[in-house]
C-alpha cells in the first residue's frame, strides 16, 4: 500500500514537468512576472518557460532583431513590464501577450526594445506603446542626420560615404584620408596625416570615385591633435566657400557590438576612394581592432557601421604596444566616443 501511495505522489509531482506550469490564478498579474526565455519565435515574439508567448512592444520584427534576440535574450531570465493600454492579468499561460521585456540582471535601465532602438538594430513600431511612445521616438530619432534610418547595402553605403570623405594632400606630397562630421566643415583624420606643420588641402572625390583635384579646399585651422602611440587623431576645420555646406557622417553615440559589420573608405597608395568591409573585433581604451586590411594612405579615413554612423578613425600605422614590440598585421581605429569626449571637453560644437 505504501509503495502505491509513493508512486501516486510521484506521478502527481511529475505532471507539471510533463505538461508545463499549471494555469495561474484567474487574476494573475503580468507586470513584474519573471521567467526564462526558451525560444525565439521571430523578430519580436519570444516564448517563456512558463508557457507564455510575449510579443515585444515597440519594435518592428526583422532578421536583425531575431538575430539579436537569439544571441542576447534566449536562455536569459526576463522581467515583464506591461503598458497601461494592454492586458494586465492572465488566466492561462498558454496565451500571447503584448508587453515590454527587460533582462532581469541588466542594470542599464533599458528594456530590450529600448536597447534595440538605441543601437538601431530595430525600427520603432508605434502600435500600443502608450506609456513609452515619447521615449521610443527619441531612441529611434535621436537627432536629425543626413543618413538613412535603415541598414544599407554595400553600394548604398559607398554612395553615402563618398561625398563626406576626401583626400588630404600636404605640401611635401604626402597624403592620407579625412572626413566631415558636421555640415560646417568640422573634420577628422590622424595626427600623422595632418599635424599642422605644413600647408595642406583637401580634395573631394568625383562621382566616379576618382580624385577631383580641381575641387579642393584649404585647411582653416587645427582644433585638436593627439600623437599618442595608441590614440592618433586630428580635429580640424576646412575652409569652405561662403555659405557652403558639406555632406558629413555623424559620430555614433554608443559602442557597437564586437563582431558587428563595418566599412571604411581610404586612399591607399595608388588608389583613391577605396571601399572595404569587415568586422569590428573588440574595444580597448580609446581604440579598437578590426579586420579590414589597411595600408598607408588609408590612415585617417572613416570607419562606419551600416547605418552610416562613424565608429572610429582608421589608424593603419603600426604603433608600438610596448617599447620592443610592434603590432603587425592588425588594423586599428580610434574610438569615436573618445573623440566625442574631447570635443565636449574643449567646447567644440559638432552637433548636427
Amino acid at each position: 500500500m505504501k509503495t502505491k501511495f509513493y508512486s501516486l505522489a510521484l506521478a502527481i509531482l511529475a505532471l507539471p514537468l510533463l505538461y508545463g506550469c499549471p494555469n495561474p490564478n484567474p487574476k494573475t498579474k503580468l507586470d513584474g512576472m519573471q521567467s526564462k526565455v526558451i525560444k525565439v519565435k521571430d523578430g519580436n515574439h519570444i516564448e517563456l518557460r512558463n508557457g507564455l508567448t510575449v510579443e515585444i512592444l515597440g519594435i518592428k520584427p526583422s532578421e536583425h532583431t531575431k538575430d539579436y534576440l537569439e544571441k542576447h535574450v534566449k536562455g536569459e531570465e526576463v522581467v515583464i513590464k506591461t503598458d497601461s493600454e494592454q492586458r494586465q492579468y492572465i488566466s492561462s499561460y498558454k496565451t500571447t501577450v503584448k508587453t515590454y521585456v527587460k533582462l532581469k540582471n541588466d542594470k542599464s535601465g533599458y528594456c530590450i526594445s529600448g536597447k534595440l532602438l538605441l543601437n538601431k538594430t530595430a525600427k520603432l513600431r508605434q502600435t500600443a506603446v502608450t506609456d513609452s511612445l515619447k521615449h521610443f521616438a527619441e531612441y529611434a530619432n535621436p537627432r536629425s542626420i543626413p543618413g538613412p534610418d535603415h541598414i544599407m547595402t554595400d553600394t548604398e553605403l559607398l554612395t553615402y560615404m563618398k561625398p563626406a570623405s576626401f583626400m588630404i594632400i600636404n605640401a611635401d606630397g604626402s597624403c592620407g584620408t579625412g572626413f566631415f562630421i558636421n555640415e560646417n566643415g568640422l573634420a577628422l583624420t590622424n595626427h600623422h596625416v595632418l599635424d599642422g606643420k605644413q600647408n595642406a588641402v583637401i580634395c573631394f572625390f568625383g562621382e566616379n570615385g576618382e580624385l577631383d583635384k580641381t575641387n579642393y579646399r584649404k585647411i582653416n585651422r587645427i582644433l585638436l591633435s593627439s600623437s599618442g602611440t595608441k590614440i592618433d587623431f586630428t580635429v580640424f576645420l576646412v575652409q569652405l566657400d561662403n555659405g557652403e555646406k558639406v555632406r558629413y557622417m555623424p559620430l555614433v553615440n554608443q559602442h557597437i557590438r564586437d563582431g558587428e559589420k563595418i566599412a571604411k573608405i581610404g586612399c591607399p597608395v595608388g588608389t583613391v576612394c577605396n571601399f572595404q568591409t569587415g568586422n569590428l573585433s573588440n574595444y580597448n581604451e580609446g581604440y579598437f581592432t578590426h579586420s579590414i586590411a589597411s595600408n598607408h594612405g588609408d590612415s585617417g579615413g572613416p570607419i562606419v557601421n551600416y547605418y552610416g554612423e562613424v565608429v572610429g578613425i582608421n589608424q593603419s600605422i603600426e604603433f608600438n604596444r610596448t617599447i620592443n614590440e610592434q603590432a603587425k598585421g592588425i588594423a586599428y581605429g580610434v574610438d569615436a566616443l573618445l573623440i566625442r569626449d574631447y570635443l565636449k571637453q574643449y567646447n567644440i560644437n559638432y552637433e548636427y
Side-chain angles (χ1 to χ4, degrees):
M1 180 67 68
K2 187 178 290 186
T3 300
K4 289 183 178 180
F5 173 79
Y6 284 135
S7 297
L8 180 61
L10 288 171
I12 293 172
L13 289 172
L15 285 174
L17 299 177
L18 293 172
Y19 299 105
C21 295
N23 283 340
N25 183 291
K27 287 192 175 182
T28 296
K29 190 175 182 181
L30 272 173
D31 194 61
M33 182 182 291
Q34 299 181 19
S35 190
K36 187 175 183 178
V37 179
I38 62 170
K39 184 179 181 181
V40 174
K41 291 190 169 184
D42 58 32
N44 70 341
H45 284 83
I46 56 175
E47 185 178 325
L48 306 183
R49 182 170 53 193
N50 62 13
L52 201 66
T53 295
V54 178
E55 178 184 329
I56 301 174
L57 287 174
I59 58 172
K60 293 180 180 179
S62 69
E63 286 302 313
H64 299 291
T65 59
K66 183 178 181 182
D67 180 62
Y68 182 93
L69 295 175
E70 288 280 2
K71 291 179 179 177
H72 301 282
V73 178
K74 185 178 179 180
E76 299 292 330
E77 291 285 334
V78 295
V79 181
I80 288 177
K81 307 296 290 182
T82 57
D83 187 274
S84 61
E85 296 299 313
Q86 300 300 306
R87 188 192 310 187
Q88 300 297 305
Y89 298 90
I90 57 171
S91 57
S92 170
Y93 287 114
K94 298 297 183 182
T95 188
T96 298
V97 295
K98 298 179 180 180
T99 70
Y100 307 114
V101 180
K102 185 179 182 297
L103 292 176
K104 181 179 178 181
N105 295 320
D106 188 350
K107 306 300 182 183
S108 70
Y110 296 116
C111 63
I112 292 168
S113 306
K115 282 181 171 290
L116 285 165
L117 290 167
L118 277 171
N119 64 29
K120 295 194 173 181
T121 301
K123 290 185 180 181
L124 175 67
R125 185 179 188 181
Q126 298 187 6
T127 306
V129 288
T130 305
D131 294 342
S132 299
L133 180 56
K134 178 181 177 181
H135 298 295
F136 276 130
E138 289 173 355
Y139 293 154
N141 302 289
R143 58 182 177 271
S144 176
I145 60 175
D149 61 355
H150 65 279
I151 295 175
M152 288 183 271
T153 65
D154 287 347
T155 301
E156 288 175 327
L157 191 57
L158 172 57
T159 302
Y160 166 76
M161 294 176 71
K162 208 185 310 183
S165 307
F166 48 79
M167 178 183 280
I168 299 171
I169 304 175
N170 291 299
D172 65 1
S174 63
C175 62
T177 310
F179 58 97
F180 293 113
I181 59 172
N182 77 9
E183 65 179 6
N184 298 314
L186 189 64
L188 298 176
T189 189
N190 287 145
H191 171 86
H192 73 274
V193 171
L194 183 66
D195 59 13
K197 294 179 181 179
Q198 58 179 308
N199 292 329
V201 296
I202 68 126
C203 288
F204 293 99
F205 304 132
E207 288 299 319
N208 57 2
E210 295 180 359
L211 193 66
D212 183 0
K213 290 189 177 181
T214 65
N215 189 12
Y216 68 90
R217 302 290 183 275
K218 294 179 180 179
I219 305 299
N220 186 317
R221 65 183 184 275
I222 305 295
L223 301 179
L224 282 175
S225 200
S226 172
S227 58
T229 55
K230 291 188 174 73
I231 309 299
D232 178 357
F233 71 87
T234 292
V235 182
F236 62 104
L237 272 174
V238 173
Q239 186 173 315
L240 301 179
D241 294 338
N242 188 34
E244 182 183 12
K245 300 295 182 183
V246 292
R247 289 284 298 275
Y248 66 92
M249 293 173 287
L251 302 176
V252 290
N253 54 26
Q254 68 172 20
H255 284 155
I256 65 173
R257 294 170 292 170
D258 291 354
E260 191 165 325
K261 195 173 180 182
I262 55 173
K264 75 170 180 66
I265 275 184
C267 301
V269 178
T271 63
V272 174
C273 197
N274 182 254
F275 176 81
Q276 291 177 287
T277 64
N279 301 88
L280 186 141
S281 298
N282 67 283
Y283 282 99
N284 296 275
E285 190 172 348
Y287 69 97
F288 57 84
T289 57
H290 62 86
S291 67
I292 307 175
S294 296
N295 296 282
H296 290 285
D298 278 329
S299 297
I303 301 174
V304 303
N305 62 19
Y306 269 65
Y307 287 99
E309 297 172 312
V310 176
V311 300
I313 308 169
N314 194 49
Q315 182 167 299
S316 61
I317 60 171
E318 299 172 349
F319 59 73
N320 289 330
R321 296 179 71 86
T322 67
I323 294 176
N324 298 315
E325 177 192 3
Q326 278 196 324
K328 296 182 178 180
I330 302 175
Y332 299 90
V334 181
D335 187 356
L337 294 191
L338 176 77
I339 304 299
R340 271 184 171 271
D341 289 342
Y342 272 107
L343 294 173
K344 183 177 180 180
Q345 180 182 342
Y346 287 91
N347 296 314
I348 297 173
N349 183 21
Y350 67 97
E351 291 294 353
Y352 324 106

